[in-house]
């Protein structure tokens, strides 16, 4: 699936979900999904940082 197909699928899903929700439910779901995305981004950043730190040679391991 390329980038255009992914964004089209997400747009279609958003439209489908929004049709079944009132404004308050839509606002709450939006906030929940934003928090989910932010939390996943934070986890990914933390993993990348740990990977970079763990892959660097330690100053204590120098010959």
């Amino acid at each position: 699936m390329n980038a255009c197909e992914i964004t089209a699928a997400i747009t279609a899903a958003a439209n489908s979900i929004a049709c079944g929700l009132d404004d308050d439910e839509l606002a709450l779901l939006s906030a929940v999904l934003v928090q989910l995305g932010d939390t996943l981004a934070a986890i990914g950043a933390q993993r990348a940082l740990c990977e970079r730190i763990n892959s660097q040679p330690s100053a204590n391991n120098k010959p």
Side-chain angles (χ1 to χ4, degrees):
M1 188 177 275
N2 67 36
C4 291
E5 293 170 334
I6 291 171
T7 57
I10 292 169
T11 300
N15 286 329
S16 179
I17 292 167
C19 286
L21 301 175
D22 66 29
D23 290 347
D24 291 334
E25 293 169 331
L26 185 59
L28 177 59
L29 181 59
S30 174
V32 166
L33 294 176
V34 166
Q35 182 176 352
L36 175 63
D38 289 348
T39 301
L40 289 171
I43 290 168
Q46 188 267 341
R47 285 181 178 178
L49 178 61
C50 287
E51 179 69 25
R52 190 176 67 203
I53 290 170
N54 291 334
S55 68
Q56 292 177 353
S58 173
N60 296 332
N61 293 337
K62 291 184 179 177

